[in-house]
Amino acid sequence: MSVLTAERIKLTSVRSPAWCTALTAVFALGIAALFSLLINVSVNEYHKELASGHPTMSEPPYPANGIAALGITGASQGIPGFGYIMIMILAALAITSEYRFGTIKATFMAVPNRTVVLVTKAGLIAVAAAVLSAVLTFVCFFIFKAIVSDEGGQKLSLTHGDMHVFYAVPIFIALVVFLAVGVGALIRQSAGALTLLIVWPVLIEPIVGAFGKVGREIQVLLPFQNAGRFLGTAGGDELPWHWGPWGGLLYFLAIVALVFGAAIFVVNKRDA
């Protein structure tokens, strides 16, 4: 309990978690409002094309519940997940900042069990971030519901719509926190850890899929692509997936466990 209290005090006594939390909320809510307006424009354009007899859209641009997480998880059409990236930055800084300022030595002196420290730190941030993402997802849903026209929002429903996004997002966010803490503990330096965590999902993985058939075969084995498979933000069934959405989650979980396990091993073996 004392370890949990100490980690809570650390998390709430510095500015970076507050800034990252605020930016996550701004990105999520702002993107929801912006895309709500764009959907209304798309719906109007769709009806104009139908009236002219030359529709260019194969189906009506009516969003489903999954769009509520757009500002957090991004989309397969090149829209990065600003929300989860900010949360990964928050989680990585929580450990790299301790190495930077030397407070990690005092932490390990007070709590010799380094595994407990790392698990508690990641677990506390994961719970807080998961709750935040769940709340933001619901708020974004209501923003879409309020701004999108009745016709455009006919698929947005908490009673008849797909509820997958409302539990998938918190699960994903909790896992990326453990991943970010693990990467931060392995690299120790904020610049290196943040660069890897941002470039990895935003640049490296999408580029791999551009290298023809071989690239697509590799793409379906990449961690964030499999997380996207679970979230519904990755490429569709045109990719040679080896498993379904829940298989993608288990694959991503295995990668996170591998990275976090390596971090625990290295932290226990080397000097602080």
Side-chain angles (χ1 to χ4, degrees):
M1 186 60 70
S2 59
V3 181
L4 183 62
T5 302
E7 293 300 328
R8 178 182 57 79
I9 292 172
K10 291 178 190 176
L11 191 63
T12 56
S13 61
V14 294
R15 295 180 180 179
S16 57
W19 277 106
C20 289
T21 300
L23 288 174
T24 300
V26 168
F27 280 129
L29 303 180
I31 288 175
L34 174 62
F35 273 81
S36 295
L37 298 174
L38 292 177
I39 289 169
N40 285 336
V41 173
S42 297
V43 170
N44 291 334
E45 186 64 25
Y46 174 73
H47 285 293
K48 289 180 181 179
E49 292 178 355
L50 283 181
S52 67
H54 301 287
T56 59
M57 303 180 191
S58 57
E59 57 184 25
Y62 303 153
N65 287 354
I67 200 171
L70 184 63
I72 301 174
T73 63
S76 59
Q77 293 81 14
I79 303 173
F82 293 107
Y84 83 81
I85 290 173
M86 294 308 305
I87 288 173
M88 287 199 300
I89 291 173
L90 185 160
L93 288 176
I95 183 69
T96 58
S97 295
E98 288 217 55
Y99 280 104
R100 178 185 176 188
F101 295 108
T103 57
I104 195 71
K105 294 181 180 180
T107 298
F108 288 155
M109 287 180 63
V111 185
N113 191 329
R114 299 184 178 188
T115 299
V116 171
V117 172
L118 210 59
V119 171
T120 302
K121 183 184 294 291
L124 178 63
I125 301 172
V127 171
V131 172
L132 173 66
S133 67
V135 171
L136 288 176
T137 303
F138 274 102
V139 173
C140 288
F141 169 83
F142 288 113
I143 289 176
F144 278 105
K145 196 67 176 173
I147 299 178
V148 174
S149 64
D150 291 339
E151 181 182 0
Q154 60 185 265
K155 293 183 179 179
L156 298 172
S157 174
L158 294 179
T159 54
H160 301 99
D162 186 3
M163 300 297 288
H164 176 78
V165 66
F166 297 108
Y167 60 81
V169 170
I171 292 174
F172 168 68
I173 291 299
L175 289 178
V176 297
V177 167
F178 275 90
L179 178 67
V181 171
V183 170
L186 288 170
I187 297 179
R188 291 190 177 190
Q189 296 181 343
S190 298
L194 297 185
T195 299
L196 177 60
L197 289 169
I198 294 172
V199 172
W200 180 358
V202 174
L203 188 61
I204 295 177
E205 290 200 8
I207 286 179
V208 170
F211 290 94
K213 182 179 179 181
V214 175
R216 290 191 293 273
E217 290 287 349
I218 298 174
Q219 185 180 6
V220 298
L221 298 175
L222 298 176
F224 281 96
Q225 294 299 311
N226 277 275
R229 175 73 165 159
F230 171 63
L231 292 166
T233 60
D237 293 331
E238 68 273 7
L239 291 176
W241 295 106
H242 302 293
W243 39 70
W246 287 100
L249 173 65
L250 293 176
Y251 186 88
F252 186 64
L253 173 61
I255 298 296
V256 172
L258 182 64
V259 173
F260 194 75
I264 290 175
F265 176 80
V266 170
V267 165
N268 278 289
K269 286 296 182 181
R270 68 186 178 189
D271 293 335

